[in-house]
Amino acid sequence: KEVLAGPALALYNELSKEFMCDYDETGSIGKRYRREDEIGTPFCVTFDFQTVGDDNTPADNCVTVRERDSMQQVRIPVSEVKEYISSRLAF
């Protein structure tokens, strides 16, 4: 859906300047996670209707970041995603 794809692509374009990124919007989220796990993607960032809001719920401007190795999921503001990933990748 365009309401999700627009902001998701904007974040993808920003992150792809710093990190190797992949954008996927096909199939269910579970299938996407499994595809990314198979190719070794360490983090998945998911936009949902809570991120952008709808008629009944205001936007929270947060995304879910899933870490492949621990399966841990955290919900963080879009503006903090780049910093979050950088800190998790630092030695």
Side-chain angles (χ1 to χ4, degrees):
K1 301 206 178 221
E2 182 57 36
V3 69
L4 295 174
L9 283 169
L11 181 60
Y12 167 78
N13 289 331
E14 179 184 333
L15 293 177
S16 65
K17 295 174 186 173
E18 302 287 327
F19 310 106
M20 184 180 297
C21 296
D22 181 40
Y23 180 86
D24 188 357
E25 60 180 40
T26 58
S28 70
I29 188 62
K31 289 180 182 178
R32 284 182 238 165
Y33 282 154
R34 294 297 163 238
R35 277 195 302 270
E36 296 302 324
D37 288 348
E38 285 181 26
I39 63 172
T41 304
F43 299 96
C44 290
V45 179
T46 305
F47 275 76
D48 57 25
F49 288 103
Q50 191 175 349
T51 306
V52 297
D54 60 20
D55 294 338
N56 301 317
T57 309
D60 70 0
N61 296 309
C62 292
V63 292
T64 302
V65 179
R66 176 183 175 269
E67 189 171 344
R68 179 197 65 222
D69 295 339
S70 68
M71 299 286 200
Q72 175 186 4
Q73 295 184 12
V74 294
R75 192 141 177 96
I76 60 174
V78 173
S79 61
E80 296 177 15
V81 172
K82 182 176 170 183
E83 184 178 313
Y84 177 83
I85 293 173
S86 291
S87 71
R88 304 296 286 180
L89 294 175
F91 288 105

